[in-house]
Amino acid sequence: MLSDISHLKNICRPNQRLMGIDYGTKRIGVALSDTLRSMATPHTVLHRTRLRVDLEALFAIHDQMNVSGWVIGLPLNMDGTEGSRCQSTRQFVKNILELRDIPVILHDERLSSIAVERTMIVADLSRSKRAKCVDQAAAAFILQGVLDAFKRYPE
């Protein structure tokens, strides 16, 4: 089911995590929250293959890590409009929901990869090290935005 932030917060049971996803054309960055849903941590990067294989890998993480909902980055244009990447992301969500009834929210991911990359540059990570972890760090950035927004919604 496609949800909003307040609905997602209210349906999460205690000790369950949220999963953040940065859905790219070549890779899928994955992050997980802690069980208190206060902090997002990079988890892994999946190199995209076939949709079914990609979804099986994501569902495996979901099941193994006791995840209650997914936060997927929506790559809006800088002016807030939706382009072809948003259409691709929305189709990805539709494919997920056809296979599983998982609470999913789309969260604005504008500048997430840029913010993460700048942080990595300041931390003096080499270009090759940044390339290996930027997608999962971007997923954590997207997920952390939702976790921070949870604080604005009453229990």
Side-chain angles (χ1 to χ4, degrees):
M1 94 185 76
L2 204 53
S3 299
D4 61 25
I5 291 176
S6 64
H7 182 252
L8 183 62
K9 180 180 180 181
N10 290 328
I11 63 172
C12 290
R13 293 188 307 267
N15 300 320
Q16 287 190 311
R17 302 172 190 273
L18 292 177
M19 186 161 70
I21 297 174
D22 180 31
Y23 181 69
T25 56
K26 296 180 183 176
R27 292 175 299 279
I28 301 171
V30 179
L32 294 168
S33 74
D34 60 333
T35 57
L36 298 174
R37 291 181 300 279
S38 62
M39 184 171 62
T41 305
H43 181 68
T44 193
V45 173
L46 303 174
H47 294 274
R48 289 189 53 194
T49 56
R50 292 187 335 266
L51 178 65
R52 186 65 126 188
V53 173
D54 298 342
L55 290 178
E56 285 174 5
L58 291 170
F59 292 148
I61 295 167
H62 174 96
D63 296 339
Q64 291 167 359
M65 301 305 293
N66 194 26
V67 171
S68 61
W70 295 12
V71 176
I72 300 177
L74 185 64
L76 296 169
N77 295 323
M78 289 307 294
D79 64 1
T81 60
E82 293 190 12
S84 61
R85 288 190 56 229
C86 283
Q87 291 171 354
S88 175
T89 300
R90 288 187 184 280
Q91 182 62 50
F92 178 64
V93 170
K94 183 179 179 203
N95 292 330
I96 291 165
L97 297 176
E98 286 175 357
L99 296 174
R100 291 240 191 137
D101 187 23
I102 297 172
V104 174
I105 64 169
L106 293 169
H107 188 69
D108 184 354
E109 72 165 45
R110 281 179 283 188
L111 302 178
S112 61
S113 295
I114 293 169
V116 166
E117 184 117 12
R118 285 185 181 159
T119 301
M120 291 178 177
I121 290 169
V122 169
D124 203 26
L125 284 173
S126 69
R127 188 169 275 159
S128 65
K129 286 183 181 177
R130 289 193 313 259
K132 290 178 184 176
C133 62
V134 71
D135 297 300
Q136 63 188 5
F141 187 89
I142 293 162
L143 179 55
Q144 189 64 52
V146 170
L147 296 175
D148 292 344
F150 273 7
K151 297 171 188 163
R152 295 191 295 266
Y153 292 94
E155 293 297 320

